[in-house]
């Protein structure tokens, strides 16, 4: 089987635009969650979100912060009018990941062997909502010809391929909050099976809009008690947790066949060693209370990786800060790790950035790769009083320096879809 | 007429992100100004909005240049 490694990472998150700024702010224990400032949220039960900080000032960004997001650096104002923001964030993170990898295919064959697989949980939700108002108020002749290509989920992969000339497999995943993890896992399989040598893979989301928040509030899934203290709202495992906080942004990785990467002297963050998938067959929004679905995904990923439970040092949990899901997942992790659980750090980085839905799994897999690079575990911020006793170290509040040779990233989505990835250090 | 020309040019420059001096009456949208079929649809919608007129689909197909647009709009407003 061909081995697959990570050679490029791009991140656009509520903490910062850019890989290193997002990562260092995460390790410092900062929060990217604030009051929603892009639309009127006063009549919504949840008025907070993890918004990408823009240079324009939105989302808590500023002109003076070099890590604030500059949309002009990604595409022109004309092009931006024609796409939903989930595509914009995906393009930004893909640009960074591709530049980071140093991979620029020149020959036809190199282009044919480089593919793109970027997903989104919801896609152009905000555009769909806005356009339906235009349809209602002004009629069908006023619908933009760019509405459909600006809202379709696979158009991120399409746009990235057009911009960079990647002519290999062009694909997209839609599995709600497991999208990013499935995109990376499926891409790794495409490389392992020989369909491509390089894949630009990940997830992107921009569902922080009125209909997006209202919809998840209706599912009774969101935090509603911390509108006046947004930074403290996402608090996985804490007794005060009351639901997830939505985040936006993108995480994109460049995955590459190991010999291909080695031959061109590419920097290697980590190996995508294992990938496991499962379905709960239980409920449309609630995770199976037994945790069996997540457990089977983890066991499958571990088996594929050739590692044993005792090789795992860090688990980046799905941990969304919902009352039911958090403990169920930790128990499943502990069953998989067995006696080794006490030696393992687990954290939920959603505590700092909120839940990026379809981008979450990709951003979190990127965090795992950076954790392996720097031998540091990002913290679960806001974890003051755990609501249950755990064998694993839940890594409260501050980052932990320790050797990380292998890490697991879990992602679970509505519909009962589960994915787990195992990353390991490459010597 | 002069007013229509200026307003059409302004919309074309803005929508197609092209240099103002390239937007002459003889310039064709697709060959000279780099528009694709979706750009043209959007451009016609912008003309309709700006001049509060309706440009039927069969007429849209005949508007290939800046001059064509100016001529049609001038006849209507």
């Amino acid at each position: 089987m061909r081995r697959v490694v990570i050679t490029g990472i791009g991140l656009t998150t509520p903490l910062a635009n850019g890989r290193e700024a997002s990562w260092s702010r995460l390790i410092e224990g900062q929060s990217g969650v604030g009051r929603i400032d892009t639309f009127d949220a006063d009549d919504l039960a949840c008025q907070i979100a993890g918004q990408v900080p823009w240079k324009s000032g939105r989302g808590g960004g500023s002109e003076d912060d070099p890590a604030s997001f500059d949309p002009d650096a990604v595409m022109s104002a004309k092009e931006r009018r024609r796409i939903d923001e989930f595509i914009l964030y995906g393009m930004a993170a893909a640009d960074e990941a591709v530049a980071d990898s140093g991979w620029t295919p020149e020959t036809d064959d190199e282009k044919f062997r480089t593919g793109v697989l970027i997903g989104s949980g919801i896609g152009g939700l905000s555009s769909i909502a806005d356009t339906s108002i235009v349809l209602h108020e002004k009629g069908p002749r006023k619908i933009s010809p760019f509405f459909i290509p600006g809202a379709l989920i696979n158009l991120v992969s399409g746009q990235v391929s057009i911009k960079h000339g990647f002519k290999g497999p062009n694909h997209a995943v839609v599995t709600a909050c497991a999208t990013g993890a499935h995109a990376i896992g499926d891409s790794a399989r495409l490389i392992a099976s020989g369909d491509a040598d390089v894949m630009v893979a990940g997830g992107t989301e921009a569902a922080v809009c009125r209909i997006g928040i209202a919809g998840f509030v209706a599912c009774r899934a969101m935090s509603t008690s911390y509108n006046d203290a947004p930074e403290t709202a996402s608090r996985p495992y804490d007794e005060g947790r009351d639901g997830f906080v939505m985040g936006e942004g993108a995480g994109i990785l460049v995955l590459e066949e190991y010999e291909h990467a080695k031959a061109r002297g590419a920097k290697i963050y980590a190996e995508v060693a294992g990938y496991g998938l499962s379905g709960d067959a239980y409920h449309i929004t609630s995770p199976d209370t037994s945790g069996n679905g997540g457990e089977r995904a983890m066991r499958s990923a571990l088996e594929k990786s050739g590692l044993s439970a005792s090789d795992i040092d860090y688990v980046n949990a799905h941990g969304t800060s919902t009352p039911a899901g958090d403990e169920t997942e930790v128990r499943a992790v502990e069953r998989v790790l067995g006696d080794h659980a006490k030696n393992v750090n687990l954290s939920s980085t959603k505590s700092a950035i909120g839940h990026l839905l379809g981008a979450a799994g990709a951003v979190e897999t990127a965090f795992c790769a950076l954790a392996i690079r720097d031998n540091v575990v990002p913290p679960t911020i806001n974890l003051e009083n755990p609501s249950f006793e755990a064998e694993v170290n839940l890594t409260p509040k501050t980052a932990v320096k320790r050797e990380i040779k292998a890490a697991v990233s879990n992602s679970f989505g509505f519909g009962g879809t589960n994915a787990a990835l195992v990353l390991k250090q490459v010597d | 007429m002069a007013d229509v020309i200026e307003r059409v040019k302004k919309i074309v420059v803005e929508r197609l992100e092209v240099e103002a001096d390239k937007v002459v009456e003889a310039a064709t949208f697709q060959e000279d100004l780099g528009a694709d079929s979706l750009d043209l649809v959007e451009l016609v919608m912008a003309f309709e909005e700006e001049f509060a007129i309706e440009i039927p689909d069969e007429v849209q197909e005949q508007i290939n240049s800046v001059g064509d647009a100016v001529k049609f709009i001038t006849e209507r407003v």
Side-chain angles (χ1 to χ4, degrees), chain B residues 5-30:
Chain B
I5 294 173
E6 285 318 303
R7 284 157 74 190
V8 165
K9 279 188 179 175
K10 186 167 174 288
I11 289 170
V12 174
V13 167
E14 208 177 270
R15 296 285 162 161
L16 300 183
E17 283 191 339
V18 288
E19 308 270 339
D21 56 13
K22 286 190 178 157
V23 187
V24 293
E25 288 198 47
T28 58
F29 295 120
Q30 292 190 277

Side-chain angles (χ1 to χ4, degrees), chain A residues 76 78 82 141-142 145, chain B residues 15 17 39 42 45 48:
Chain A
S76 74
K78 173 189 137 192
R82 300 170 163 190
R141 284 181 54 84
K142 298 296 179 192
Chain B
R15 296 285 162 161
E17 283 191 339
D39 291 325
E42 193 188 49
M45 285 172 65
E48 290 183 331

Side-chain angles (χ1 to χ4, degrees), chain A residues 65-399:
Chain A
D65 176 9
S68 280
F69 181 70
D70 176 11
D72 292 327
V74 187
M75 50 172 70
S76 74
K78 173 189 137 192
E79 291 170 304
R80 288 208 304 279
R81 273 202 308 272
R82 300 170 163 190
I83 54 158
D84 189 274
E85 272 173 14
F86 82 103
I87 296 181
L88 180 66
Y89 291 147
M91 293 283 280
D95 284 352
E96 186 187 24
V98 170
D100 184 40
S101 76
W103 173 240
T104 47
E106 305 281 348
T107 66
D108 272 352
D109 193 52
E110 287 172 345
K111 290 175 184 171
F112 298 158
R113 304 285 301 163
T114 304
V116 189
L117 202 174
I118 298 169
S120 179
I122 314 190
L125 185 61
S126 175
S127 303
I128 294 168
D130 292 347
T131 307
S132 92
I133 293 170
V134 173
L135 178 66
H136 180 73
E137 292 181 348
K138 297 181 175 172
R141 284 181 54 84
K142 298 296 179 192
I143 302 303
S144 165
F146 298 100
F147 161 54
I148 297 290
L152 290 180
I153 284 177
N154 73 298
L155 259 286
V156 190
S157 294
Q159 292 270 11
V160 168
S161 73
I162 292 164
K163 181 164 186 175
H164 297 279
F166 301 150
K167 298 185 177 181
N170 200 272
H171 198 0
V173 164
V174 181
T175 49
C177 305
T179 297
H182 279 133
I184 290 165
D186 289 355
S187 293
R189 293 261 164 96
L190 287 173
I191 294 171
S193 66
D195 291 278
D197 293 326
V198 180
M199 290 294 296
V200 179
T204 180
E205 203 77 77
V208 180
C209 57
R210 271 179 70 77
I211 197 169
I213 301 283
F216 278 104
V217 164
C219 293
R220 301 293 184 269
M222 301 197 80
S223 171
T224 55
S225 309
Y226 295 91
N227 288 329
D228 296 323
E231 309 78 18
T232 68
S234 188
R235 43 194 317 117
Y237 322 117
D238 189 82
E239 60 185 13
R241 70 185 184 274
D242 72 332
F244 84 86
V245 175
M246 198 191 293
E248 63 175 5
I252 308 288
L253 307 184
V254 174
L255 304 182
E256 192 165 347
E257 194 272 323
Y258 177 59
E259 296 297 338
H260 188 277
K262 225 170 55 172
R264 68 183 186 89
K267 153 186 92 262
I268 293 173
Y269 287 95
E271 178 170 354
V272 181
Y275 169 45
L277 313 80
S278 72
D280 282 351
Y282 178 78
H283 186 264
I284 53 171
T285 59
S286 301
D288 183 345
T289 48
S290 73
N292 174 263
E295 179 179 344
R296 284 183 292 115
M298 278 183 272
R299 287 192 190 282
S300 170
L302 203 55
E303 189 191 323
K304 291 277 192 314
S305 73
L307 300 176
S308 54
S310 60
D311 295 316
I312 302 300
D313 300 300
Y314 170 53
V315 176
N316 186 300
H318 185 60
T320 57
S321 192
T322 53
D326 288 10
E327 183 174 354
T328 302
E329 180 190 8
V330 169
R331 295 304 176 219
V333 167
E334 289 174 344
R335 285 196 297 278
V336 172
L337 295 177
D339 293 343
H340 179 61
K342 60 184 183 303
N343 307 317
V344 172
N345 278 86
L346 174 147
S347 67
S348 169
T349 46
K350 289 186 179 78
S351 58
I353 60 174
H355 188 352
L356 273 64
L357 309 177
V363 169
E364 291 160 15
T365 302
F367 287 158
C368 285
L370 294 167
I372 287 171
R373 179 191 71 177
D374 294 348
N375 289 304
V376 59
V377 176
T380 305
I381 67 167
N382 298 319
L383 178 49
E384 304 283 348
N385 300 300
S387 68
F388 57 91
E389 285 203 20
E391 288 170 52
V392 289
N393 183 340
L394 298 173
T395 324
K397 299 206 277 194
T398 48

